[in-house]
Amino acid sequence: MMNASSRLTILTRIGFATRGALYIAIAFLVIRTGQAEDPSGALRYLGEGGGRILLAVMALGLLAYGIWRLSDALLDIERHGTDRKGVAERLGAGASGIVHLFLTWQAIRLIQGVASSGQATEEGTQTALQLPGGTAIVVLGALILFGVGVFQLVRAVKGTFLRHLEPSIARQAWAQWCGRAGYAARGLIFIVSSYFLLRAGLEQRSSEAGGMAQAIAWLSPPVDVVVAVGLLGFGIFSLVEARFRVLHDVPVDSAVAKVTS
């Protein structure tokens, strides 16, 4: 009988597959229709085609993936280490966890028949600008997002993402180039999005902020299609990770035992 840690690991793999499906949908929409979307928009698109059962499965996967990423940030499950690079990777894992928990919430809302506004970036920026020191907060967020974009490009060049795969798959050229193209495309998207956010902060106008959909739409043809092909590669690589990524179990059972003892 599987314990809680094993069940979470299986659901996390579903989460990787869900992430892959979202990025493949984003790439498909750009390449075939010219429509720019972000993961939230792709979630709506897949939900319309697959119905509530598919959304429920995706929500479970996204929830598990989000928990797994947050656990990695807190407990260093992926063994990043305590140096500056390791701390940065754990912070990135935490941010990724929060994003995927937000996507889980959106999937649940879609199951309930409530569509999101599609303006989460703009709304979040508006909230930040209303806080004391709001401009500085938004500008700092833009700089962090720029750093994340650069980090993605570095990963694309160095191929460090391959260390998480089973060695036999990591050596395959097709897997390497799917990952490189995907991380490079994501890096470019994050850098463009950081520009939007920086402009929103400096001009104190939340309408200037934009996420992945706005970044893709901002790119001129054929650059947008090239980036979409890269995102397709990331989607395929995510599916590969769903099956062949080496996952370290989250110590769910021991944590529960400590709480209940």
Side-chain angles (χ1 to χ4, degrees):
M1 183 176 179
M2 288 191 299
N3 56 26
S5 296
S6 298
R7 287 193 292 269
L8 179 61
T9 298
I10 291 174
L11 288 174
T12 299
R13 293 193 182 279
I14 296 175
F16 274 105
T18 299
R19 186 181 72 173
L22 293 178
Y23 274 89
I24 290 172
I26 291 169
F28 171 81
L29 289 171
V30 174
I31 295 170
R32 291 295 301 273
T33 70
Q35 178 182 345
E37 288 289 358
D38 56 13
S40 297
L43 193 61
R44 291 194 301 272
Y45 174 77
L46 293 176
E48 291 172 359
R52 293 185 177 183
I53 294 178
L54 176 62
L55 280 172
V57 173
M58 294 173 75
L60 281 173
L62 290 169
L63 175 61
Y65 183 82
I67 292 173
W68 181 75
R69 293 290 277 171
L70 287 175
S71 299
D72 185 28
L74 294 172
L75 305 175
D76 196 17
I77 294 170
E78 293 291 280
R79 301 163 189 171
H80 302 292
T82 56
D83 59 4
R84 185 172 60 181
K85 178 182 177 182
V87 171
E89 289 179 339
R90 291 174 68 178
L91 289 174
S96 176
I98 292 171
V99 168
H100 285 85
L101 289 182
F102 176 71
L103 286 172
T104 303
W105 176 77
Q106 288 189 313
I108 293 172
R109 298 276 284 175
L110 288 170
I111 292 171
Q112 295 172 336
V114 181
S116 63
S117 65
Q119 301 294 328
T121 303
E122 184 176 331
E123 292 170 358
T125 304
Q126 179 62 40
T127 300
L129 286 173
Q130 293 173 348
L131 297 172
T135 297
I137 293 173
V138 174
V139 170
L140 178 60
L143 294 176
I144 292 173
L145 189 58
F146 178 82
V148 171
V150 172
F151 180 68
Q152 297 281 306
L153 293 176
V154 171
R155 295 190 78 181
V157 173
K158 293 186 175 181
T160 53
F161 52 85
L162 294 169
R163 65 186 174 92
H164 298 296
L165 292 181
E166 294 180 10
S168 60
I169 300 299
R171 289 192 293 266
Q172 300 294 321
W174 62 269
Q176 295 173 11
W177 285 107
C178 279
R180 289 183 190 278
Y183 278 101
R186 275 167 46 99
L188 178 60
I189 291 296
F190 287 145
I191 288 173
V192 173
S193 298
S194 73
Y195 164 72
F196 291 154
L197 191 59
L198 178 64
R199 191 169 63 181
L202 295 177
E203 297 181 7
Q204 296 189 338
R205 292 193 300 174
S206 60
S207 59
E208 297 293 335
M212 179 178 290
Q214 290 76 17
I216 295 173
W218 182 80
L219 297 171
S220 301
V223 179
D224 58 342
V225 175
V226 173
V227 170
V229 172
L231 296 177
L232 174 62
F234 188 78
I236 295 172
F237 186 77
S238 294
L239 296 181
V240 172
E241 287 188 290
R243 171 62 182 85
F244 296 105
R245 183 170 176 130
V246 178
L247 295 178
H248 301 284
D249 288 343
V250 177
V252 177
D253 300 279
S254 60
V256 171
K258 289 180 180 178
V259 173
T260 57
S261 59

